[in-house]
Amino acid sequence: MMESGVPICNICGEQVGLANTNGEVFVACHECNYPVCKTCIDYEIKEGRNACLRCATPYDENEQESTNHAIVASHPDTAQDAGVHARTVSFVSTVDSEYHDDTGNPIWKNRVESWKEKKNKKKKNQSKAAVQEAAEVPPEQQMEEKPQLADAAEPLSRIIPVPKSQITPYRIVIIVRLIVLCLFFHYRVTHPVESAYPLWFISVFCEIWFAFSWVLDQFPKWSPINRETYLDRLSARYEREGEPCQLAPVDFFVSTVDPMKEPPMITANTVLSILAVDYPVEKVSCYVSDDGGSMLTFESLAETSDFARKWVPFCKKFSIEPRAPEFYFTQKFDYLKDKVQPSFVKERRAMKREYEEYKVRVNALVAKAQKTPEDGWTMADGTPWPGNNSRDHPGMIQVFLGHSGVHDIEGNELPRLVYVSREKRPGYQHHKKAGAENALIRVSAVLTNAPYILNLDCDHYVNNSKAIREAMCFLMDPQVGRDVCYVQFPQRFDGIDKSDRYANRNIVFFDVNMKGLDGIQGPVYVGTGTVFNRQALYGYSPSNLPTIHKSSSSFSCCCRRKKPAKEKDLTEVYREAKREDLNSAIFNLREIENYDDHERSLLISQMSFEKTFGMSSVFIESTLMENGGVPDSANPSTLIREAIHVIGCGYEEKTAWGKEIGWIYGSVTEDILTGFKMQCRGWRSIYCMPLRPAFKGSAPINLSDRLHQVLRWALGSVEIFLSRHCPLWYGFGGGRLKWLQRLAYTNTIVYPFTSLPLIAYCILPAVCLLTGKFIIPTLSNIASILFLGLFLSIIVTSVLELRWSGIGIEDWWRNEQFWVIGGVSAHLFAVFQGFLKMLAGIDTNFTVTAKAADDGEFADLYLFKWTTVLIPPTTILIVNLVGVVAGFSDALNKGYEAWGPLFGKVFFSFWVILHLYPFLKGLMGRQNRTPTIVVLWSVLLASVFSLVWVKINPFVSKDDPSAMVQNCIDMDC
């Protein structure tokens, strides 16, 4: 990138260039001043596209030759500054948290001004050098470069819409189903069941809620899309032969807490797969957050960094996949296939031996850590380990790899690997994973400041070494990436049984719902496997988003055509189009140079920045660099000390961290909340599904752990629902969140409440069988047609959804089953726990304790752990089984005419039992043994429910003499 005052072409990424020898900048469109170079304009016109890409104004060939206008606004840095990494820090720093700068709180404004002066001088020098170099290039060579530029101007990705033959019938059926639902509810409401009014009322209420949930879930799938990337075009544009690589740097975040629950070997495989990605090593930095301050994690990373010196060159030499050694060596495939290097077999065997020895060393560390010494752990030099008290320790940073002098066994540079453990002190709220991620944002900004961030859970490894390039096809595309806050990859898992009994793969969510959201404003953030734009995490709005004036209504039509603007000074155009509220520190810094002195003093004010980002001059300067890179004014010798400062436990006090910037606090599902806040600011996200899954992880596959995981997700949704960030009322002022996107976010926070009507609806069939009543009156012909139409529309919708999404019917059915299992168990507990926590301040934890496990493949599938979450679904199963037996007994006693009504009642009971069948199998385990406590609790609840029902007998009027006589007869009065 050329850092001159000349703008950058938004198509090819090169300088726009000069229009003539007078030094005036070339202008393609005088209507909107969209920066495009002359070469790209010629190519566009040649291809038949002779209108501006932004405002669609036709190009005037005469004006193309004129030189009466010039673009005044300067553009910020791009890939050249983005590629500058501070790779000179190579020492360990374990500094006490009481550290402060010698000058206390330095006035950093002068540093910003001096930094900008250096940038301006650098721009002028490079501008002169660029003009001189352009004059020296022969015309013949310039002609040869034009085709290459044209090829590089091609888009890096494309949208593949679902074929109309699949999506049009799907939309028609959705509309038909909505109409049938309206007619169905009209019939249900106008035809109450007088003999069973309470049952009828409960059933109608539940059905209305189910219809509301269906609308929230279905309509965001209105326009699903697929995407395709072009990695070859990415390389042609940013990795030209003979030129420095211009791919953007990426900072990887890996979070871990307890090495006993998250084994170090799992984290190590994730780190090794990151260090070996197919990406320039100088552009990759891996930050491992140890939120438990464990010496075991520290020592295992030291062993991992040593093994990486051998593993990384092996992976890149033979292009193996995946690049996590544990998963590569355990693959069941012919590893000699497509391998032509004679040395491969020998080196693979040697590398496998090296890995086994490495595992022995790490496992020895794990065994040693099982028993903590009385005096705590000590390091190799005899000093106590600072993290002996996991709740009270200073911040720690260790740079393992990437600094000068550390290379692989072949002498090549390695990616940077940094160990980070933020400061912990009693009395401070640390915000768990969200707080750890925010600490990593600040540390990485001080040390490397890559413009893009990829966060992974410690148990999710890189399965596709080109995954980062896939994301860059969107983020680095000038047309696509301008307003993209993150690229989300689907989650894929290892170690799940073939039948996926408890829907661990979440295929319906990742292959159906997320594709639908990608066609609106983008998929939701799911916590891992996500590549972020760092500027979006800082709370900035997209650079191309016009400001909504306060005087305008927030509900104004977004489709209204904009009136053509009158010709005015270009500085004023940028100021009106992209200026944010000057009283806030959340603004777009792209055009900061165009503000006058008064406005600049408001923007660059010590108070506003420190209230937002905290008291670190180095970090604040890094936020001004939209395309990354370490500020010129930063002193490499003090970067580690500054990094220690920004991970202090008091750093975030009275700042916007966790409120407006970084990972957002207030929910255990901080991922949903963080993505929601970004999209409310006008950003959009992108869903990337490469043929080879980008990342793979592990998932709990036994019943108890799976329900506990779902409980945590549902609890986070309830917390968001009860917070100020609820999508039902948050973010309307800006008008930047699309309505279908808001429906999708609303669905993510209200679905736990479906547990209440779902439990009632699952008990209703048993009640009908036990009492002889029914929730539906005698059906007429019209009613029969409505019921038949409703069932057919449900079936056809599902079939068409399977068709355009490409998922199998077994995955769809497993999802339906677990929707019921989770709804009547984990979601119910999450609702009550959420209300207790948010309204009464009572934090109730449903603990899970292990019983026993079997050996063998998928042994965890049969591992059973007792938890109170298991009680409600077990009770529902027993009640429905008792109801079926009672219903058949009653039909046998009453004769032939009783079998017709029995069919409808038994059908609904079997519907419940069939959906809970995987839960029943999980209770039985491999030995078909159900814990006695589960049976006792369930039988007790079923018995109490039955006795109370008989005692109340709500269907018998107290004033009915015949009923009283019948009761006396039944009781042998």
Side-chain angles (χ1 to χ4, degrees):
M1 150 39 236
M2 297 297 198
E3 290 185 351
S4 65
V6 181
I8 301 302
C9 175
N10 278 329
I11 294 181
C12 66
E14 299 293 332
Q15 281 189 325
V16 169
L18 304 179
N20 54 28
T21 57
N22 296 331
E24 295 181 349
V25 180
F26 173 75
V27 179
C29 177
H30 297 292
E31 184 69 26
C32 67
N33 302 299
Y34 187 57
V36 182
C37 67
K38 184 67 166 59
T39 303
C40 293
I41 287 294
D42 293 340
Y43 181 78
E44 291 290 311
I45 295 175
K46 181 180 178 182
E47 293 294 320
R49 296 183 289 270
N50 58 352
C52 178
L53 298 176
R54 173 184 286 178
C55 65
T57 302
Y59 293 129
D60 187 342
E61 295 184 2
N62 295 326
E63 289 186 356
Q64 297 302 322
E65 302 299 329
S66 67
T67 57
N68 296 328
H69 300 83
I71 295 179
V72 179
S74 62
H75 282 244
D77 318 326
T78 54
Q80 183 170 338
D81 270 352
V84 179
H85 272 219
R87 311 186 65 82
T88 58
V89 181
S90 59
F91 53 87
V92 184
S93 180
T94 306
V95 184
D96 192 274
S97 64
E98 303 299 325
Y99 161 79
H100 293 284
D101 286 337
D102 296 335
T103 58
N105 176 24
I107 299 176
W108 54 271
K109 182 177 179 181
N110 294 332
R111 297 182 65 183
V112 175
E113 296 298 333
S114 63
W115 166 69
K116 289 165 64 178
E117 289 177 5
K118 292 180 181 179
K119 300 282 285 183
N120 291 334
K121 291 180 181 178
K122 189 176 180 182
K123 288 178 181 179
K124 292 179 181 178
N125 294 334
Q126 290 190 353
S127 177
K128 294 179 181 178
V131 173
Q132 188 175 7
E133 181 181 354
E136 294 176 355
V137 177
E140 296 80 5
Q141 186 174 347
Q142 293 180 0
M143 293 297 293
E144 293 176 357
E145 289 179 355
K146 286 186 177 182
Q148 184 180 1
L149 292 175
D151 293 338
E154 294 181 346
L156 303 180
S157 64
R158 72 183 181 103
I159 295 176
I160 306 176
V162 176
K164 291 185 178 180
S165 59
Q166 296 178 4
I167 197 63
T168 302
Y170 179 68
R171 292 171 177 171
I172 293 174
V173 172
I174 289 177
I175 299 300
V176 171
R177 182 173 173 180
L178 192 61
I179 296 173
V180 172
L181 275 174
C182 294
L183 297 175
F184 170 79
F185 284 123
H186 178 266
Y187 171 81
R188 292 284 280 141
V189 171
T190 56
H191 292 77
V193 182
E194 301 294 343
S195 60
Y197 194 85
L199 291 180
W200 169 83
F201 179 80
I202 293 173
S203 65
V204 171
F205 175 80
C206 295
E207 289 161 1
I208 292 175
W209 179 268
F210 295 151
F212 170 71
S213 299
W214 174 78
V215 170
L216 291 180
D217 182 66
Q218 199 70 47
F219 276 89
K221 306 174 188 175
W222 187 261
S223 301
I225 62 172
N226 298 296
R227 294 183 186 269
E228 182 181 4
T229 56
Y230 302 106
L231 300 183
D232 53 342
R233 296 180 184 177
L234 179 74
S235 296
R237 182 177 297 184
Y238 296 108
E239 294 182 293
R240 296 175 183 172
E241 187 177 354
E243 298 181 11
C245 176
Q246 294 184 352
L247 288 174
V250 180
D251 288 339
F252 288 76
F253 292 174
V254 179
S255 301
T256 183
V257 180
D258 188 351
M260 295 303 169
K261 295 181 180 179
E262 300 165 337
M265 279 307 304
I266 293 180
T267 304
N269 271 272
T270 299
V271 170
L272 289 169
S273 68
I274 292 172
L275 298 178
V277 293
D278 183 7
Y279 208 71
V281 292
E282 70 276 7
K283 309 285 187 178
V284 176
S285 300
C286 179
Y287 293 83
V288 179
S289 171
D290 176 18
D291 221 28
S294 171
M295 188 172 177
L296 173 57
T297 303
F298 181 87
E299 291 183 332
S300 65
L301 273 184
E303 291 287 349
T304 301
S305 64
D306 185 60
F307 177 72
R309 297 178 61 246
K310 307 168 187 175
W311 175 251
V312 172
F314 171 76
C315 293
K316 295 189 175 182
K317 181 178 180 180
F318 298 107
S319 301
I320 67 169
E321 296 284 2
R323 298 188 178 182
E326 182 68 27
F327 301 95
Y328 171 70
F329 288 123
T330 55
Q331 286 183 115
K332 297 179 180 178
F333 74 109
D334 182 11
Y335 63 85
L336 296 178
K337 185 178 181 181
D338 299 329
K339 298 296 180 183
V340 295
Q341 297 93 332
S343 61
F344 173 69
V345 175
K346 181 179 179 180
E347 293 192 34
R348 184 184 186 277
R349 291 173 181 172
M351 184 54 61
K352 189 171 184 180
R353 286 194 300 269
E354 292 281 355
Y355 178 63
E356 296 297 334
E357 293 174 2
Y358 159 70
K359 285 177 64 177
V360 170
R361 293 194 297 270
V362 174
N363 289 333
L365 294 175
V366 175
K368 178 183 175 182
Q370 298 291 332
K371 186 177 181 181
T372 306
E374 294 182 0
D375 298 332
W377 299 105
T378 57
M379 294 186 289
D381 58 359
T383 57
W385 172 249
N388 279 323
N389 187 343
S390 61
R391 298 182 179 179
D392 187 2
H393 64 80
M396 297 175 283
I397 295 178
Q398 163 73 56
V399 181
F400 283 109
L401 296 175
H403 51 292
S404 59
V406 179
H407 297 85
D408 62 28
I409 57 175
E410 296 182 358
N412 300 317
E413 188 180 6
L414 286 167
R416 177 184 291 261
L417 175 61
V418 184
Y419 169 87
V420 179
S421 181
R422 58 181 174 146
E423 181 189 9
K424 292 287 187 71
R425 299 297 181 193
Y428 285 91
Q429 176 61 264
H430 299 294
H431 303 288
K432 299 180 180 178
K433 180 183 176 181
E437 297 284 356
N438 284 339
L440 289 182
I441 294 177
R442 298 192 291 271
V443 168
S444 63
V446 170
L447 296 182
T448 52
N449 197 32
Y452 302 110
I453 294 171
L454 191 152
N455 82 298
L456 287 174
D457 290 342
C458 65
D459 60 346
H460 278 68
Y461 64 91
V462 181
N463 183 66
N464 183 349
S465 62
K466 297 184 182 295
I468 313 306
R469 295 176 179 271
E470 297 275 355
M472 291 301 113
C473 285
F474 303 106
L475 294 169
M476 295 190 69
D477 191 318
Q479 296 300 317
V480 178
R482 292 176 299 172
D483 58 350
V484 175
C485 55
Y486 60 83
V487 175
Q488 178 65 62
F489 291 89
Q491 292 185 20
R492 302 297 188 223
F493 302 98
D494 290 315
I496 297 177
D497 59 301
K498 295 181 180 179
S499 63
D500 194 14
R501 182 186 294 179
Y502 306 120
N504 293 90
R505 293 190 178 94
N506 271 338
I507 294 294
V508 173
F509 175 74
F510 287 113
D511 288 28
V512 179
N513 296 33
M514 296 287 266
K515 285 184 180 179
L517 292 178
D518 198 17
I520 311 172
Q521 200 170 341
V524 298
Y525 168 40
V526 297
T528 184
T530 315
V531 184
F532 285 97
N533 183 334
R534 186 184 285 267
Q535 294 292 308
L537 285 171
Y538 288 157
Y540 299 149
S541 296
S543 59
N544 63 338
L545 185 70
T547 301
I548 298 178
H549 297 286
K550 294 180 180 180
S551 59
S552 62
S553 172
S554 60
F555 296 95
S556 60
C557 179
C558 61
C559 299
R560 186 183 305 164
R561 292 191 62 184
K562 192 182 295 185
K563 295 181 179 179
K566 297 180 180 179
E567 293 236 5
K568 57 180 70 176
D569 184 76
L570 294 176
T571 304
E572 190 65 21
V573 172
Y574 273 88
R575 191 177 296 170
E576 290 183 359
K578 299 185 177 182
R579 187 183 338 175
E580 294 286 347
D581 186 2
L582 295 179
N583 295 323
S584 171
I586 309 302
F587 54 85
N588 176 20
L589 292 166
R590 180 183 291 272
E591 316 306 335
I592 191 170
E593 297 292 343
N594 294 325
Y595 295 146
D596 55 37
D597 292 338
H598 174 66
E599 292 170 334
R600 191 178 305 162
S601 65
L602 290 174
L603 290 172
I604 306 179
S605 70
Q606 181 178 357
M607 183 176 297
S608 64
F609 269 103
E610 288 180 351
K611 281 184 177 180
T612 303
F613 296 114
M615 310 279 283
S616 171
S617 58
V618 176
F619 176 73
I620 292 173
E621 288 184 36
S622 72
T623 65
L624 298 172
M625 306 183 70
E626 185 175 354
N627 289 282
V630 177
D632 297 337
S633 59
N635 185 355
S637 63
T638 62
L639 287 181
I640 289 290
R641 290 198 304 165
E642 194 67 26
I644 289 288
H645 172 57
V646 299
I647 59 174
C649 57
Y651 183 84
E652 295 184 357
E653 286 190 341
K654 298 180 180 180
T655 66
W657 285 103
K659 304 180 185 69
E660 297 296 332
I661 63 176
W663 271 258
I664 306 301
Y665 305 148
S667 171
V668 296
T669 53
E670 71 287 332
D671 47 3
I672 296 291
L673 199 53
T674 301
F676 173 65
K677 291 275 286 187
M678 291 181 185
Q679 295 189 341
C680 283
R681 296 189 186 103
W683 292 95
R684 67 188 179 101
S685 56
I686 281 180
Y687 197 50
C688 182
M689 296 182 64
L691 294 178
R692 180 179 179 86
F695 309 100
K696 280 191 175 182
S698 57
I701 64 173
N702 67 72
L703 177 62
S704 306
D705 287 348
R706 174 70 167 134
L707 289 178
H708 195 264
Q709 180 190 55
V710 173
L711 169 62
R712 177 179 167 275
W713 295 342
L715 175 60
S717 296
V718 175
E719 290 173 342
I720 297 174
F721 177 81
L722 298 175
S723 72
R724 72 183 185 93
H725 292 119
C726 178
L728 291 174
W729 50 74
Y730 182 84
F732 280 97
R736 295 168 179 171
L737 192 69
K738 296 184 179 181
W739 282 102
L740 289 181
Q741 194 80 6
R742 188 176 295 277
L743 280 182
Y745 274 110
T746 303
N747 187 43
T748 63
I749 57 103
V750 302
Y751 78 89
F753 297 97
T754 305
S755 59
L756 300 174
L758 184 60
I759 285 180
Y761 212 73
C762 288
I763 294 177
L764 280 178
V767 174
C768 293
L769 289 168
L770 292 172
T771 60
K773 309 296 182 180
F774 202 32
I775 59 175
I776 300 174
T778 303
L779 297 180
S780 62
N781 292 334
I782 297 179
S784 301
I785 294 174
L786 286 177
F787 274 88
L788 182 62
L790 181 61
F791 282 113
L792 286 177
S793 64
I794 293 173
I795 294 172
V796 174
T797 304
S798 302
V799 170
L800 293 177
E801 195 170 273
L802 295 178
R803 186 184 175 198
W804 66 253
S805 65
I807 67 173
I809 190 170
E810 183 179 10
D811 293 317
W812 176 85
W813 174 238
R814 290 288 182 239
N815 181 79
E816 291 295 311
Q817 286 181 312
F818 198 79
W819 176 76
V820 176
I821 295 171
V824 299
S825 56
H827 297 172
L828 176 69
F829 277 71
V831 170
F832 287 106
Q833 185 178 353
F835 275 98
L836 286 174
K837 182 177 180 180
M838 301 300 293
L839 301 181
I842 302 174
D843 192 0
T844 306
N845 292 318
F846 300 98
T847 57
V848 180
T849 56
K851 291 285 183 180
D854 298 315
D855 296 329
E857 190 178 10
F858 308 123
D860 285 348
L861 182 64
Y862 307 100
L863 180 67
F864 188 86
K865 303 176 183 180
W866 158 244
T867 171
T868 49
V869 177
L870 301 175
I871 295 176
T874 309
T875 304
I876 291 174
L877 265 174
I878 293 177
V879 168
N880 276 277
L881 290 172
V882 171
V884 170
V885 174
F888 277 101
S889 300
D890 185 64
L892 289 172
N893 292 330
K894 290 184 178 180
Y896 175 78
E897 62 277 359
W899 287 91
L902 176 67
F903 174 77
K905 302 174 186 177
V906 172
F907 172 80
F908 284 108
S909 277
F910 274 120
W911 180 89
V912 175
I913 295 171
L914 194 61
H915 278 76
L916 293 177
Y917 178 68
F919 174 83
L920 183 61
K921 289 181 68 176
L923 283 181
M924 297 303 176
R926 178 172 286 177
Q927 293 85 10
N928 292 332
R929 294 179 181 177
T930 303
T932 306
I933 189 171
V934 176
V935 177
L936 289 177
W937 269 104
S938 302
V939 172
L940 177 62
L941 289 177
S943 302
V944 169
F945 173 79
S946 302
L947 292 174
V948 170
W949 186 271
V950 171
K951 180 65 177 177
I952 296 175
N953 202 1
F955 301 111
V956 177
S957 174
K958 304 302 180 183
D959 301 328
D960 189 355
S962 61
M964 297 178 64
V965 172
Q966 183 63 37
N967 285 340
C968 290
I969 294 174
D970 293 340
M971 298 175 62
D972 293 333
C973 295

